[in-house]
């Protein structure tokens, strides 16, 4: 295994950072590496807000569910799906633009994720740790207000970047056979593979907590699906011009 | 710059492959590297269909718009957003599951993209080339039929993997300042940055075609936005149980 793949496989979220700042040059290199990711039809449907203002970081940390590392990390980014720049460019070139297609929401969200993951990989290759902040979608309307996001731009997730001040274990993943299928989506084996993974996670949680945390993957998923997770997202996206037509 | 970042920045889509097959062990290493990517709440909301059957690859190549490399590449993958596995696991653990939330569509699509990009990075680190196949969404219903995708699973994009038999140039990206903004989404500079990028792309196309292709980024975007791009996506997703509630 080459060092790049070793790095990829040793990824874990970092939520405690030293005071050391990422040099600006390295930071920009990470962003450029992000831009190098594939992009649907070259549309590059993303923008990144680099949140420097301490008061705004404090507010965003709170909105994300009280995540202190949004404040304490060296750099905090909000990744936005951006259909504004490209559609306006096409308009200036004379196009009668159609907006609000479901496909556009997908393209922009996927473009943004591919770019962000390249940034994550680049950062980790330089010893920088990170965690994604999905909690940015807890209150995307207020996040948008703080960051002054216009129509046709929505905040997909945040990312904390900095030098790790902790060394957490790598979290196990589903068995390969559960997610990789040949030719057809056959899931007759999935129940036993999930059961196997439930055991893996039970062992993992027990080991990390000296036996006090007794739970499984399936158990941990329950609260995610029994409540209406972020039920505001539909209305929020509609209001931002992502009409899912 | 370290070799990982150099690799990231030298990414370009490969659409012509040698006959050499990717060894199974390397292939599985790439997939595992994909699984190592961050995943929202550990949900791992994805499945990959590894399309081996030649007849199915031929059909998929056609559905994707006649892309021969879907057939000619060493390996062809269809990345699926999968809300079936995790919600059923939670159900078996006793949860009364709510499905069809817009947030779930986002989580699954983003999880899938993060994983795919890690696979892309891992593959390129071993000299394998690739291209994403968004054309899989041209006719997602037929793709789903061929791959027997059940409800709560949708095909996000494909990926061709193989050893490059071409060496295309790296395609330019927007200026950093166009996509990286400090504290607020301010776009008063965007028009001039896009104009600058239009010039960059004009030069790029001219150089690649001996001067016969005279166009810009903005011009190239026009057909994307003047037609209803993949207008079936909404109905297709609704039918698959991604109800965008």
């Amino acid at each position: 295994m080459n060092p790049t793949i070793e790095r990829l496989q040793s990824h874990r979220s970092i939520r405690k950072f030293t005071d050391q700042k990422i040099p600006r040059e390295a930071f920009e290199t990470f962003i450029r590496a992000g831009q190098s990711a594939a992009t649907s039809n070259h549309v590059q449907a993303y923008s990144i807000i680099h949140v420097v203002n301490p008061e705004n970081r404090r507010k965003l940390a709170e909105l994300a569910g009280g995540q202190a590392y949004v404040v304490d990390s060296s750099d905090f980014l909000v990744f936005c799906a951006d259909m504004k720049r490209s559609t306006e460019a096409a308009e200036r070139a004379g196009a009668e633009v159609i907006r609000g297609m479901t496909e556009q929401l997908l393209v922009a969200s996927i473009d943004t994720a591919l770019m962000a993951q390249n940034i994550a990989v680049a950062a980790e290759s330089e010893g920088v740790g990170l965690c994604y902040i999905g909690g940015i979608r807890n209150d995307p309307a207020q996040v948008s207000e703080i960051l002054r996001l216009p129509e046709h731009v929505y905040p997909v997730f945040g990312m904390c970047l900095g030098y790790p001040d902790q060394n957490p274990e790598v979290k196990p993943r589903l068995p390969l056979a559960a997610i990789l299928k040949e030719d057809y989506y056959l899931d007759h084996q999935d129940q036993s593979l999930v059961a196997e993974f439930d055991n893996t996670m039970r062992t993992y949680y027990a080991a990390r907590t000296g036996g006090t945390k007794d739970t499984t993957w399936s158990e941990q998923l329950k609260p995610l699906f029994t409540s209406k997770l972020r039920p505001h997202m539909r209305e929020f996206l509609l209001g931002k011009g992502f009409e899912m037509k």
Side-chain angles (χ1 to χ4, degrees), chain A residues 12 28 41 51 61 90 120 133 143 162 205 207 224 230:
Chain A
R12 64 277 191 276
E28 288 193 3
N41 284 298
V51 188
I133 306 292
V143 168
Y205 287 126
L224 271 186
R230 296 179 183 138

Side-chain angles (χ1 to χ4, degrees), chain A residues 191-235:
Chain A
Q191 276 201 42
S192 62
L193 291 166
V194 165
E196 177 190 328
F197 187 57
D198 276 342
N199 282 331
T200 304
M201 288 311 298
R202 190 186 295 280
T203 308
Y204 168 83
Y205 287 126
R208 272 174 45 124
T209 58
T212 57
K213 189 167 178 177
D214 180 23
T215 186
T216 65
W217 184 65
S218 298
E219 283 293 333
Q220 291 287 104
L221 291 174
K222 283 164 71 174
L224 271 186
F225 298 129
T226 47
S227 63
K228 287 190 178 172
L229 189 64
R230 296 179 183 138
H232 50 267
M233 281 310 291
R234 176 190 167 78
E235 285 306 312

Side-chain angles (χ1 to χ4, degrees), chain A residues 35-218:
Chain A
Q35 290 187 274
S36 300
T39 156
S40 180
N41 284 298
H42 203 214
V43 70
Q44 306 170 73
Y46 42 65
S47 287
I48 301 172
I49 313 291
H50 183 208
V51 188
V52 176
N53 180 304
E55 179 55 20
N56 285 353
R57 280 176 71 161
R58 204 193 49 71
K59 283 187 205 162
L60 292 170
E62 234 168 73
L63 291 173
Q67 307 199 51
Y69 28 99
V70 169
V71 174
D72 301 337
S73 50
S74 166
D75 295 274
F76 181 65
L77 304 176
V78 178
F79 288 84
C80 303
D82 185 339
M83 287 306 298
K84 180 176 159 68
R85 182 195 309 109
S86 54
T87 53
E88 290 186 354
E91 263 175 349
R92 285 194 299 273
E96 289 225 28
V97 162
I98 298 170
R99 292 189 171 88
M101 304 299 292
T102 299
E103 168 70 5
Q104 293 171 350
L105 172 67
L106 294 178
V107 161
S109 304
I110 294 165
D111 259 24
T112 303
L114 299 182
M115 176 205 38
Q117 186 55 20
N118 253 20
I119 291 177
V121 171
E124 289 184 341
S125 78
E126 287 286 310
V128 168
L130 62 106
C131 63
Y132 281 88
I133 306 292
I136 223 68
R137 296 195 303 276
N138 289 349
D139 193 339
Q142 256 197 272
V143 168
S144 299
E145 210 180 297
I146 292 169
L147 306 179
R148 301 182 193 162
L149 303 185
E151 266 211 308
H152 311 297
V153 176
Y154 92 90
V156 185
F157 44 68
M159 186 187 282
C160 300
L161 291 159
Y163 294 95
D165 196 23
Q166 62 178 177
N167 190 15
E169 262 181 272
V170 173
K171 206 165 178 178
R173 292 293 190 265
L174 283 160
L176 189 83
I179 67 121
L180 180 65
K181 295 161 194 287
E182 196 168 298
D183 280 327
Y184 308 109
Y185 190 102
L186 300 170
D187 59 355
H188 53 266
Q189 281 194 315
D190 277 14
Q191 276 201 42
S192 62
L193 291 166
V194 165
E196 177 190 328
F197 187 57
D198 276 342
N199 282 331
T200 304
M201 288 311 298
R202 190 186 295 280
T203 308
Y204 168 83
Y205 287 126
R208 272 174 45 124
T209 58
T212 57
K213 189 167 178 177
D214 180 23
T215 186
T216 65
W217 184 65
S218 298

